[in-house]
Amino acid sequence: DQQVKQNSPSLSVQEGRISILNCDYTNSMFDYFLWYKKYPAEGPTFLISISSIKDKNEDGRFTVFLNKSAKHLSLHIVPSQPGDSAVYFCAASATPYNTDKLIFGTGTRLQVFP
Amino acid sequence: ETGVTQSPTHLIKTRGQQVTLRCSSQSGHNTVSWYQQALGQGPQFIFQYYREEENGRGNFPPRFSGLQFPNYSSELNVNALELDDSALYLCASSSTQGGKNIQYFGAGTRLSVL
């Protein structure tokens, strides 16, 4: 039972344009959401997070939007850069204090081309 | 660079053997979590250790066991290896900052079971 779903396995975007990565979840107990980026031969790197009391969190070129009623979140990258090419994982937790495990999606491979 | 180091980077074992994977946490982090990432999947939570005690376990059989040492380094042991145990094993250490707990991942150990 996949509680966190990333339905797009890959995305290709031109440099300078917006990249939108989507994530859906099924467990209404999830209260805290994170995005991780993973380069080949490296571990996932924390990118940005959002708690359920917010619907938007912004950090530089990265913005995460949360729609609790739809159980949907998205990561926007503007403008996209070739160095953003990586696999992006959405993850969820029932608490920001990590007393529960992180549940990860299957990832979306983003390719930013010149 | 997250400060979380894992060894070895690659390992080849045969079915039925036992394996020990090691993780050195980032300085100051007292919590360590282990994840299994199969090919094409997101990381799956195995278990978490906090101050040398198991603090949560995912849906993995008892032949997956762990240890955390007083210096917060950790081991993952897998007995009676099966072919399906072939995966990337990720260690993540964490601390609470500003009421939020962020996990920092190592680069992983890639285990191949033949």
Side-chain angles (χ1 to χ4, degrees):
Chain A
D1 178 28
Q2 193 74 24
Q3 297 185 70
V4 178
K5 300 177 185 178
Q6 294 177 257
N7 292 318
S8 299
S10 64
L11 177 68
S12 190
V13 172
Q14 190 173 29
E15 182 179 6
R17 306 293 288 266
I18 184 171
S19 295
I20 300 176
L21 295 95
N22 294 304
C23 178
D24 297 293
Y25 62 97
T26 57
N27 191 337
S28 57
M29 294 299 293
F30 288 150
D31 204 37
Y32 186 56
F33 304 89
L34 308 90
W35 284 93
Y36 280 83
K37 177 172 70 173
K38 187 179 186 299
Y39 293 119
E42 295 183 13
T45 303
F46 170 72
L47 198 55
I48 192 169
S49 64
I50 189 167
S51 73
S52 60
I53 61 173
K54 294 185 175 181
D55 55 16
K56 176 182 174 181
N57 189 27
E58 195 171 351
D59 184 2
R61 297 185 298 114
F62 302 92
T63 303
V64 56
F65 295 91
L66 175 62
N67 183 334
K68 279 196 73 177
S69 61
K71 294 191 179 67
H72 176 84
L73 63 155
S74 60
L75 174 68
H76 293 210
I77 307 174
V78 183
S80 301
Q81 299 174 353
D84 297 329
S85 297
V87 177
Y88 289 77
F89 291 100
C90 169
S93 172
T95 167
Y97 303 104
N98 198 42
T99 56
D100 291 330
K101 59 189 177 183
L102 284 181
I103 308 297
F104 282 85
T106 54
T108 297
R109 182 176 302 277
L110 173 67
Q111 183 179 10
V112 180
F113 60 92
Chain B
E1 183 80 22
T2 64
V4 179
T5 57
Q6 293 186 243
S7 62
T9 53
H10 295 85
L11 200 53
I12 299 174
K13 291 285 189 178
T14 55
R15 196 170 43 181
Q17 284 189 310
Q18 178 267 342
V19 69
T20 297
L21 310 182
R22 294 179 174 83
C23 173
S24 177
S25 302
Q26 184 165 328
S27 177
H29 289 186
N30 56 17
T31 303
V32 65
S33 301
W34 285 91
Y35 292 81
Q36 180 197 65
Q37 186 180 7
L39 199 61
Q41 301 297 312
Q44 268 197 293
F45 177 77
I46 304 175
F47 44 56
Q48 182 181 84
Y49 278 80
Y50 172 69
R51 293 186 176 179
E52 303 177 55
E53 297 286 332
E54 188 176 292
N55 184 43
R57 190 178 183 93
N59 189 26
F60 280 82
R63 60 188 184 85
F64 285 78
S65 63
L67 281 173
Q68 188 182 29
F69 300 100
N71 66 355
Y72 303 133
S73 65
S74 175
E75 285 182 357
L76 164 65
N77 298 289
V78 188
N79 294 323
L81 283 167
E82 300 177 0
L83 297 179
D84 285 348
D85 295 334
S86 296
L88 179 68
Y89 288 86
L90 295 163
C91 163
S93 71
S94 56
S95 67
T96 301
Q97 298 175 0
K100 296 176 184 174
N101 189 300
I102 303 299
Q103 297 196 31
Y104 296 89
F105 285 84
T109 294
R110 184 161 297 282
L111 172 65
S112 297
V113 182
L114 306 178

